[in-house]
Amino acid sequence: MVLRYVFARSGKGKSYYIHQDIRKALQQHQGEALILLVPEQYTLQAERDLIAALGSKGIMQVEVMSFSSLGRRVLQDAGGITRVVLNETGKVMVLKKIIDENVRNLTLYQTACRQEGFVEKLAELFSQIKQEDMDLAAMLDHCDAETQPVLQQKLQDIRLLYQAFNSYLQGRYLDPDDEVNLYIEKMPECSFLQGAKIWIDGFTTFSSQSLRLLEQLLSLAAEISISFTMSTEAQQRDADLFNLSRQSYTRVHEMAVKKGLTEQLINLDTFGADRFKTAEILHVETELYAYPFQTFPAVPECIRISAAPNRYQEVQSMACQLVELAREKGYRWNDMAVVCNDMDLYAGTIQRVFTEHGIPFFMDEKRNIMNNPIVRLILAMMNIVDQNYRYRDVFDFFKTGFSGMDANLYEQLENYALAYGIEGERWKHPFIWGEEELWEEVNTAREAFMDIMRPFEEAMRGRQSVTEFSRQLFEQLERMGTAQKVQIRVQELQEQGEIEQVYVMTQVWNLLLDMLDQMVEIMGDQYMDLRAYKRIIEAGFASYELGIIPTGVDQVLVGSIQRSKSRSIQILFVLGVNDGVLPSLSSNESLMTDEEIEHLLSQGFDLLPDRQRRDQEERFLLYNSLTRTQKHLFLSY
């Protein structure tokens, strides 16, 4: 077994070297598996980059995988799936149920557990505990009640919920993190990994769980190559920039020494892959975090910094520059990318301005689905029954577009309801207020609405099993012809060229069906009232973030610095280079404070990233982003 480390700073040709190494392996191929492992969100782009590097129209003998897709392949080859695997949505729904059942036994989190976002943060924490192989009992033992009373209460609540969660899953279900342990257990039985050649590219850090998976690969494969973004030079003016990569390398190296593996070090910093970059971009790469720094010896022509009075003007100015570069300078749209550090601030403005200027773009972000009309339809119907026909729930139902009522008619009905305070039981009786000539029209609309809601309200009364609630909900959607309406809406979107919205609509509909199936599978025999059922469904929807693949090839990539991991590009625009935004103020969004995280770290429990670790990660991401471009860098604030 040979383990090779490919070292280089950002943009020095690590991926290029790996692609050329794969080309050589293909030429000498003797039937062994050839696998390129990359981060989850990078698999599509990695396939495209590999195809381009090989100069072929496709790849047949090389598999581009993430750790999770490798695991699924392992289970296909070796078997072993005897339990239902929860997806992230199913996991959140189970956690919501566990919290509701144990809320009275909680201390510090008894009130907080009802707040929006708590379940999702708890799910993230449980994943971190499993990925880092943490022992909650040991953590509690190292927590002094006198010096850290609040942390001790938090850990007690977390352990209570964690044990209840695992007990509920025991023998029946696997959550995604437990499934990884199953991959690791089954890998020695997997024939295609025996003697394989594996390349690992694009990772900065590895969790303890990922390292255990890598350890199994080291025992099975014939050759593994891993790239690390760092320099081999002993003295560097920006050495601390590569601390995360250096820590990862050290952990892998220690594992290799323990196994007695042959190791090879390949340093690409003198490889010359950066010869395609302008002098200014090369200077940014070497000096961005260097101390003492050196100034650029000439007036920079390839880096431009601009100011704008507001975000709209900032994006408007950038759009004009993009159009000019495409029209006057001959650049393609996919030669250019846009990044910022806060997509929540910029996404809506970018979508509006780019559409106005006719710029094709792909927004590389996870999409929250709570405002999707299908989701709003489901929640509105349940709220109407649970909250007794509140005004906002009724008209949220109409405005989804899936009620079957003409927009002009429900708008007239809304005006009538506002004028005469129509809420609650009034919806169940003929309207007799106002001008008599309006009665027939508004009562026709009212009756059509009640024809939809009466059977649903009747079906959802009282305590029922989750299976019964789910069946009644699905039958209501069937009565309303929702599947056919979704199909019609998808066809309309296709005709309008809104391919991205087509993906969103179809994925959300499929998610709904999968979620109902999983609820029945996980907790079908559990009895509850409508309000509890609605909370579980709502938690499931809230936890789901939609990923979309690019809908075209020649598009401007728009994304956050944290998420975007694209190919090398010619021109990079960085928006929002404002104090406190880039770099950010390093906010902690976990269930523990920075002081509590630092205390656990001092006791040897590296559970959550502390303030220093978050700062290191952001600096490294910013360095990687700014050095991705080859020709021009535009910064605006």
Side-chain angles (χ1 to χ4, degrees), residues 222-382:
E223 185 179 288
I224 293 180
S225 302
I226 310 178
S227 69
F228 290 100
T229 302
M230 55 183 277
S231 175
T232 55
E233 293 179 21
Q235 300 295 323
Q236 295 173 285
R237 290 176 294 126
D238 57 356
D240 60 336
L241 179 62
F242 306 107
N243 282 346
L244 296 175
S245 295
R246 195 172 292 110
Q247 289 165 11
S248 295
Y249 160 69
T250 301
R251 295 175 77 179
V252 175
H253 171 62
E254 288 172 353
M255 203 158 48
V257 170
K258 188 184 296 185
K259 285 182 168 290
L261 303 179
T262 302
E263 298 176 277
Q264 295 178 2
L265 274 63
I266 299 163
N267 180 16
L268 297 182
D269 278 337
T270 58
F271 187 58
D274 54 10
R275 63 187 179 277
F276 302 110
K277 294 189 175 184
T278 58
E280 290 92 331
I281 302 303
L282 291 174
H283 186 81
V284 168
E285 193 280 320
T286 56
E287 303 298 328
L288 183 63
Y289 287 111
Y291 184 82
F293 62 84
Q294 298 174 4
T295 56
F296 192 67
V299 177
E301 297 179 357
C302 300
I303 297 177
R304 187 182 302 170
I305 302 174
S306 59
N310 53 58
R311 281 195 298 275
Y312 182 82
Q313 290 294 331
E314 184 184 10
V315 176
Q316 180 81 8
S317 172
M318 177 190 63
C320 292
Q321 292 178 77
L322 284 165
V323 172
E324 180 187 359
L325 288 163
R327 184 180 294 161
E328 308 295 335
K329 306 295 184 182
Y331 287 103
R332 297 180 66 90
W333 298 117
N334 65 359
D335 290 332
M336 299 178 274
V338 178
V339 296
C340 63
N341 209 30
D342 194 337
M343 282 296 288
D344 291 338
L345 282 177
Y346 280 91
T349 307
I350 291 172
Q351 288 175 333
R352 185 165 63 253
V353 172
F354 277 27
T355 302
E356 289 171 357
H357 284 76
I359 299 171
F361 66 96
F362 171 68
M363 196 75 73
D364 183 20
E365 64 172 346
K366 289 282 191 178
R367 291 147 174 85
N368 183 289
I369 65 169
M370 291 304 286
N371 286 320
N372 183 273
I374 298 172
V375 174
R376 286 172 51 212
L377 176 77
I378 303 296
L379 297 180
M381 286 194 301
M382 289 194 287

Side-chain angles (χ1 to χ4, degrees), residues 25 106 159 264 355 458 538:
L106 300 177
R159 185 172 69 165
Q264 295 178 2
T355 302
E458 184 67 30
E538 198 166 11

Side-chain angles (χ1 to χ4, degrees), residues 138-151:
M139 290 168 71
L140 262 171
D141 290 341
H142 284 78
C143 184
D144 187 356
E146 292 185 9
T147 59
Q148 295 286 337
V150 175
L151 177 57

Side-chain angles (χ1 to χ4, degrees), residues 445-471:
R446 182 198 69 82
E447 194 56 42
F449 169 59
M450 289 308 301
D451 285 345
I452 294 172
M453 291 307 303
R454 276 194 200 97
F456 185 65
E457 182 179 11
E458 184 67 30
M460 304 299 271
R461 283 179 179 164
R463 289 177 62 83
Q464 300 181 47
S465 68
V466 168
T467 297
E468 187 61 22
F469 272 128
S470 301
R471 184 178 68 82

Side-chain angles (χ1 to χ4, degrees), residues 371-575:
N371 286 320
N372 183 273
I374 298 172
V375 174
R376 286 172 51 212
L377 176 77
I378 303 296
L379 297 180
M381 286 194 301
M382 289 194 287
N383 281 329
I384 287 169
V385 176
D386 183 46
Q387 301 294 333
N388 194 25
Y389 293 79
R390 287 186 307 186
Y391 161 81
R392 70 180 185 188
D393 298 327
V394 170
F395 288 98
D396 198 26
F397 167 78
F398 285 130
K399 291 172 185 177
T400 62
F402 290 111
S403 68
M405 188 177 292
D406 180 74
N408 291 327
L409 188 55
Y410 74 65
E411 284 172 4
Q412 185 175 359
L413 187 61
E414 183 174 20
N415 290 335
Y416 187 87
L418 281 170
Y420 300 104
I422 307 299
E423 279 198 323
E425 293 299 313
R426 284 189 166 194
W427 281 101
K428 300 178 182 180
H429 304 286
F431 297 153
I432 53 171
W433 300 277
E435 299 174 7
E436 193 170 341
E437 56 266 27
L438 285 176
W439 292 0
E440 182 178 353
E441 194 164 15
V442 294
N443 275 303
T444 300
R446 182 198 69 82
E447 194 56 42
F449 169 59
M450 289 308 301
D451 285 345
I452 294 172
M453 291 307 303
R454 276 194 200 97
F456 185 65
E457 182 179 11
E458 184 67 30
M460 304 299 271
R461 283 179 179 164
R463 289 177 62 83
Q464 300 181 47
S465 68
V466 168
T467 297
E468 187 61 22
F469 272 128
S470 301
R471 184 178 68 82
Q472 295 292 355
L473 176 57
F474 181 75
E475 288 181 358
Q476 174 73 358
L477 296 173
E478 286 280 284
R479 284 193 295 270
M480 294 169 60
T482 309
Q484 292 77 14
K485 290 172 185 172
V486 169
Q487 193 171 9
I488 291 168
R489 182 63 181 142
V490 164
Q491 289 172 350
E492 291 171 351
L493 291 168
Q494 285 175 330
E495 290 166 4
Q496 295 165 11
E498 299 285 349
I499 305 302
E500 190 173 307
Q501 290 304 313
V502 170
Y503 288 156
V504 171
M505 193 65 71
T506 51
Q507 278 198 55
V508 172
W509 178 251
N510 291 332
L511 163 71
L512 169 64
L513 301 181
D514 288 343
M515 196 164 79
L516 291 177
D517 285 343
Q518 194 146 86
M519 286 183 74
V520 171
E521 177 66 41
I522 296 167
M523 55 185 85
D525 56 353
Q526 302 289 316
Y527 276 75
M528 60 186 66
D529 59 16
L530 175 60
R531 186 165 297 180
Y533 180 78
K534 182 190 71 176
R535 282 203 303 266
I536 292 171
I537 282 218
E538 198 166 11
F541 282 136
S543 71
Y544 193 81
E545 290 185 319
L546 202 62
I548 301 293
I549 63 170
T551 53
V553 176
D554 195 16
Q555 297 173 308
V556 177
L557 177 71
V558 180
S560 68
I561 287 173
Q562 295 89 349
R563 174 175 165 80
S564 291
K565 187 173 180 61
S566 75
R567 65 206 178 278
S568 294
I569 37 101
Q570 302 291 308
I571 298 163
L572 179 68
F573 288 84
V574 185
L575 296 174

Side-chain angles (χ1 to χ4, degrees), residues 61-333:
Q61 296 169 312
V62 185
E63 293 184 84
V64 179
M65 299 180 177
S66 63
F67 280 136
S68 59
S69 56
L70 172 66
R72 288 191 292 272
R73 174 70 192 279
V74 166
L75 294 184
Q76 287 173 2
D77 192 71
I81 303 178
T82 58
R83 289 184 279 171
V84 175
V85 179
L86 297 180
N87 56 27
E88 287 298 332
T89 306
K91 179 178 178 178
V92 166
M93 289 190 294
V94 170
L95 276 175
K96 184 66 179 173
K97 175 183 180 298
I98 295 296
I99 289 170
D100 287 346
E101 289 176 352
N102 291 276
V103 65
R104 293 181 180 177
N105 299 322
L106 300 177
T107 55
L108 201 68
Y109 288 134
Q110 193 170 82
T111 303
C113 70
R114 299 290 189 187
Q115 295 177 0
E116 185 177 349
F118 179 87
V119 183
E120 290 76 14
K121 291 300 175 189
L122 188 66
E124 289 176 16
L125 181 62
F126 284 4
S127 291
Q128 201 76 21
I129 289 168
K130 292 187 178 184
Q131 288 169 13
E132 297 299 339
D133 299 326
M134 289 292 162
D135 184 347
L136 280 172
M139 290 168 71
L140 262 171
D141 290 341
H142 284 78
C143 184
D144 187 356
E146 292 185 9
T147 59
Q148 295 286 337
V150 175
L151 177 57
Q152 187 185 57
Q153 284 183 298
K154 284 184 179 182
L155 289 174
Q156 285 171 344
D157 284 354
I158 290 166
R159 185 172 69 165
L160 172 69
L161 295 173
Y162 186 71
Q163 289 174 339
F165 175 67
N166 286 325
S167 295
Y168 187 83
L169 300 184
Q170 188 67 38
R172 293 182 292 181
Y173 311 107
L174 281 174
D175 86 345
D177 300 300
D178 290 328
E179 190 182 21
V180 177
N181 293 330
L182 184 60
Y183 303 159
I184 296 168
E185 180 186 328
K186 289 291 180 179
M187 284 170 71
E189 303 171 27
C190 192
S191 57
F192 80 97
L193 290 176
Q194 302 289 339
K197 290 184 178 179
I198 299 172
W199 295 264
I200 301 174
D201 189 29
F203 293 91
T204 304
T205 59
F206 297 99
S207 67
S208 297
Q209 201 175 48
S210 297
L211 285 170
R212 286 195 288 111
L213 189 149
L214 181 56
E215 187 175 15
Q216 284 284 35
L217 290 177
L218 292 175
S219 301
L220 299 169
E223 185 179 288
I224 293 180
S225 302
I226 310 178
S227 69
F228 290 100
T229 302
M230 55 183 277
S231 175
T232 55
E233 293 179 21
Q235 300 295 323
Q236 295 173 285
R237 290 176 294 126
D238 57 356
D240 60 336
L241 179 62
F242 306 107
N243 282 346
L244 296 175
S245 295
R246 195 172 292 110
Q247 289 165 11
S248 295
Y249 160 69
T250 301
R251 295 175 77 179
V252 175
H253 171 62
E254 288 172 353
M255 203 158 48
V257 170
K258 188 184 296 185
K259 285 182 168 290
L261 303 179
T262 302
E263 298 176 277
Q264 295 178 2
L265 274 63
I266 299 163
N267 180 16
L268 297 182
D269 278 337
T270 58
F271 187 58
D274 54 10
R275 63 187 179 277
F276 302 110
K277 294 189 175 184
T278 58
E280 290 92 331
I281 302 303
L282 291 174
H283 186 81
V284 168
E285 193 280 320
T286 56
E287 303 298 328
L288 183 63
Y289 287 111
Y291 184 82
F293 62 84
Q294 298 174 4
T295 56
F296 192 67
V299 177
E301 297 179 357
C302 300
I303 297 177
R304 187 182 302 170
I305 302 174
S306 59
N310 53 58
R311 281 195 298 275
Y312 182 82
Q313 290 294 331
E314 184 184 10
V315 176
Q316 180 81 8
S317 172
M318 177 190 63
C320 292
Q321 292 178 77
L322 284 165
V323 172
E324 180 187 359
L325 288 163
R327 184 180 294 161
E328 308 295 335
K329 306 295 184 182
Y331 287 103
R332 297 180 66 90
W333 298 117

Side-chain angles (χ1 to χ4, degrees), residues 21-87:
D21 203 37
I22 291 173
R23 180 197 290 274
K24 292 177 187 175
L26 284 168
Q27 293 169 351
Q28 303 165 2
H29 191 229
Q30 296 180 348
E32 73 277 15
L34 306 177
I35 300 169
L36 173 60
L37 287 172
V38 295
E40 186 81 44
Q41 75 272 21
Y42 189 44
T43 50
L44 176 64
Q45 188 59 51
E47 284 185 349
R48 287 179 171 176
D49 291 349
L50 181 58
I51 290 168
L54 296 177
S56 60
K57 294 182 179 180
I59 46 176
M60 293 291 290
Q61 296 169 312
V62 185
E63 293 184 84
V64 179
M65 299 180 177
S66 63
F67 280 136
S68 59
S69 56
L70 172 66
R72 288 191 292 272
R73 174 70 192 279
V74 166
L75 294 184
Q76 287 173 2
D77 192 71
I81 303 178
T82 58
R83 289 184 279 171
V84 175
V85 179
L86 297 180
N87 56 27

